[in-house]
Structures are given as structure tokens and as C-alpha cells.
Amino acid sequence: MRIDNIRLHDQQGLFDIEINDGVFSAISPAGSLRKEPSRKEPSRDADVIDGNGQLALPPFVDPHVHLDTALTAGEPVWNRSGTLFEGIQNWSERKKTLTRDDVKQRASKALEWYIAQGVQHVRSHVDTTDPSLTALHGLLELREEVKGLIDIQLVAFPQEGIPSYPKGAELMEEALKLGADVVGGIPHFEYTREYGLESLKTVFELAEKYDRLIDIHCDEIDDDQSRFVETVATMALERSMGHRVTASHTTAMHSYNNAYVFKLMRLLKHSGIHFIANPVTNLNLQGRMDTYPKRRGITRIPELLEAGVNACFGQDDIVDQWFPMQGCNMLQVLFTGLVGCQMTGFDQINQGIDLITRNSAQCLNIQDSYGIDIGKPGNLILLDSETVFDAVRRQASVTHSIRHGKLIASTKPARTMLHRENGSKEVSLAYTL
Ligand code: 17E
Ligand code: FE2
């Protein structure tokens, strides 16, 4: 397959890209591949896509979502307090009615929304605090069924705790034996601080025993005394496995005092662990016990990036107890995150695209097979925009999603006409600085 006349992020000019046997085989200035007489022309028209000057990016990544809870908002009741904790309570009621088909049907719809909008890599937490592990069984089946279209990592996630839940550790281990890729945790939700520390020991032991990655829901609370992230980072550092460990949410870091954060940053840098913020969800959940001023619910993303720590954005929720309105649009997540973190300098917006692409791929440990580079899997998306800045500004649609050299999704961008007495004209919403 060949994709002609595309733009690349932070590079001048137009390019043609060739994918052979599912792998990028050439990236050259526009026209040059077409002129080379020795090069075999693609045999069918369908094998050439005219990129029309659109921006090409590697596929979007969602490094943090809960597919098992997707599309359950309001079941059995709406989250009236808007807190994390009421969400967990309501979900624990809904969880009792789960069947494999119920989970698979809801998650399949969410996956279609991802694929339609250029996401090809997802890490989903799956609640293991269920003696039958119904959601996990369903998502393990689905992971296989959709692997031609989207890669899914599954996290064994103990929503109601490890020591705080009957047989919590055994259920986690069972989930890993069944095929979960990542070990999860939720230390701030355990009954005591001691249980929180014990849960982290269990997480690291399981990850070492089964050779898995780690991604912990960590300090997702407005309590400035919730400091499990320092333990996660230290355990990762002492085992030299920081690049395999992620701390998700870490919203308490928003409330830590600056002197403590100053000390903490040194450790975080040394440890090499990754961070995922879920800006839409945590702007919604955090600060709910505040009056005014209300705290923002996002961890210190610009400061982490400044310190050289890898960080990225996830969606977290698709129409569920914790946020009722998202729909797998990673540019919407990025836009919200940049606003919520006050990252609105030109460079922050322009480089912000890394927060839903490259940085997330690194967090998922898939960086060796990710990116538009010769020899890597031929996966890319085209956007209805010429630049990253403009794509982020108006959340441009993904017009094409290509995976291993095959078109797997296409979208016709909206066309808008203005009508006047003297005639009609098309209006473009694009703006290129
Ligand atoms: N569970 C949790 O502990 N935290 C969240 N943000 C979600 C589920 C969505
Ligand atoms: Fe989460």
C-alpha cells in the first residue's frame, strides 16, 4: 500500500509512505516513490490512498480505561455525589448482574468507537474483586477476537482492594494465570495505610513471579497524606523495573505541599516509572468535598514532564459511574488535559500530541513496534488537518486508520456551507498558524 501526499509532525513538506507486507518500507518526499522506475507500482487503485496534504500520526493510544464498566452509567442508579467512592459502591451493585455476554457486548461497542477514531492500542483495567472473574473471562475472549484491529492489554485490577477484599490476592493471581498482562492495585482504597503497603508488596511479588507489567491506581484521592506513590517508585527502583511500572491518577500529588513534591521528584526521576493522568474523569471526581475554591483533579503533569518523567493521558471512563460522557475520542481527552493542566503555550500544545501517542506507547512498553519508521508495523492515522496544533484545537476527525498496511476505518469529515441571498459558500473551520 502507498499513502501519498501526507504531512509529518514537525517536518516540512509532503511525503509518500509505502507499506509492504504490513511494515513501513519507505518514507520519501512526495512524488519520489512514484518516479522510481524500478519500484513495482501497487497493483490496484485501492492500494493507493491520496493523503491530500493531511497530517499523518502513529495511531492514538488509550493507556487507561475500564472496558468492563463501559456503558453502565445510571445502572443501577446514577452517581449523585459525583465521587469516586459512590461510583465504586454503585458499580459493586451492577457487578452482581454481570454476564460474559453483557461485558462483551458493551466492550465491543466501545472498541468500535476506538477503532473508528484512530485508536489502535488500549490498556484496560478489569475488576478482579468478583469471585467468578466474569468480566475478565469476557474481555480475554474479546481481546483475541479483535486483535487484528486493536491491541488490548488487560490489567488485573482489584477495585475493592487486595487485603481488604475476601481472597483478594488469590483472585489477582488467578487473573494473571488466566492471561492478564498487567498487575493492578488500589492502595489508597484499602482499609488502612498498612493494608495499602501490604497490597503493593503483593503487586510487586505477583509481577515478578509472572513476569508482568504493573499499573497501579495510586493516590486517587484529595487527601494530601496519601503518599503511596513514593512506595511504588521505591519498590520499582530497588528492583530496577521502573520502565515496567505505571502510577495512574496520582491526584493527591495535586494537594501535596511543594516541599514534599520537590523531594519526591528526585525519586520519581531515578525510578523511571511512568505516569498516567485521566484529566476528564478526575476533573469530575476530585474536589467534591471542597467548597470554593475547589481543587483541580489532575496530577502535576507539566512538572513531571519538565523533570524528564514520562507521562501521558488516558480516558478512564466511557459512559459509566465515574464519568458519563466520553466516547473514545483521544483528542477530546488531550484538549481537556491541556486546559486542565494549563499547558497552553504553543510548544505545549504542539508537543502535547505525545501525551496520547508516543509517551503512552512507552508507558505500555510497546515503543519498539510503535511509530512511523521504516521497519516498524505499518500502522498510522490521517487527520482532517495539516498541523498538530490545528488538530488539537478543533479535535479534527481521523479520516483514515491504517493497520499493518490495511485500511480499517475511514471517516468523511463534516462539510459546512453558509447560505446567503447571493449564494452559498463552503466554510472551513481549519486554522493553520
Ligand atoms: N475505579 C477507580 O478506582 N478509579 C477510577 N477513576 C475508575 C474506576 C474509573
Ligand atoms: Fe482508572
Side-chain angles (χ1 to χ4, degrees), residues 23 66 81 92 129 153 163 207 242 252 289 306 336 346 362 404 409 418:
V23 171
H66 298 253
S81 66
S92 83
T129 49
Q153 290 183 358
M289 280 87 184
E306 181 69 23
T336 309
F346 177 78
Q362 225 177 310
H404 302 308
L418 294 185

Side-chain angles (χ1 to χ4, degrees), residues 115-297:
I115 295 161
Q117 295 174 94
V119 178
Q120 293 189 24
H121 311 276
V122 167
R123 173 181 282 179
S124 172
H125 295 256
V126 193
D127 189 356
T128 58
T129 49
D130 163 15
S132 59
L133 296 176
T134 302
L136 180 67
H137 284 289
L139 290 177
L140 284 165
E141 284 178 18
L142 195 55
R143 181 177 72 179
E144 285 311 296
E145 289 166 21
V146 299
K147 69 180 177 202
L149 300 170
I150 189 162
D151 300 321
I152 304 177
Q153 290 183 358
L154 294 175
V155 187
F157 170 55
Q159 176 69 83
E160 295 181 54
I162 301 179
S164 311
Y165 188 82
K167 296 204 162 59
E170 284 96 324
L171 286 164
M172 290 284 286
E173 183 153 12
E174 178 63 17
L176 298 173
K177 285 185 185 154
L178 286 168
D181 311 276
V182 186
V183 190
I186 186 162
H188 56 274
F189 187 79
E190 302 285 359
Y191 289 142
T192 64
R193 183 188 142 71
E194 288 69 27
Y195 275 13
L197 295 175
E198 184 187 324
S199 76
L200 293 178
K201 258 187 79 194
T202 304
V203 167
F204 276 82
E205 278 166 17
L206 287 171
E208 285 189 312
K209 181 168 174 192
Y210 291 92
D211 192 25
R212 304 294 156 88
L213 304 171
I214 290 175
D215 189 336
I216 294 167
H217 279 64
C218 194
D219 304 315
E220 188 186 12
I221 188 164
D222 294 326
D223 174 10
D224 62 345
Q225 300 299 311
S226 186
R227 293 183 173 185
F228 291 106
V229 69
E230 65 181 23
T231 305
V232 171
T234 302
M235 288 179 139
L237 177 67
E238 288 175 353
R239 288 164 181 75
S240 303
M241 60 182 293
H243 65 291
R244 293 170 63 80
V245 175
T246 297
S248 280
H249 296 288
T250 60
T251 56
M253 198 193 296
H254 191 94
S255 298
Y256 295 162
N257 66 73
N258 288 344
Y260 174 63
V261 173
F262 188 84
K263 173 216 160 187
L264 178 65
M265 281 291 176
R266 174 176 175 268
L267 164 65
L268 299 182
K269 222 164 20 177
H270 287 175
S271 73
I273 67 169
H274 310 278
F275 281 80
I276 301 175
N278 298 291
V280 181
T281 290
N282 287 123
L283 282 171
N284 180 48
L285 296 177
Q286 307 314 129
R288 290 279 181 164
M289 280 87 184
D290 295 352
T291 54
Y292 287 94
K294 281 182 202 276
R295 279 167 285 181
R296 291 171 187 228

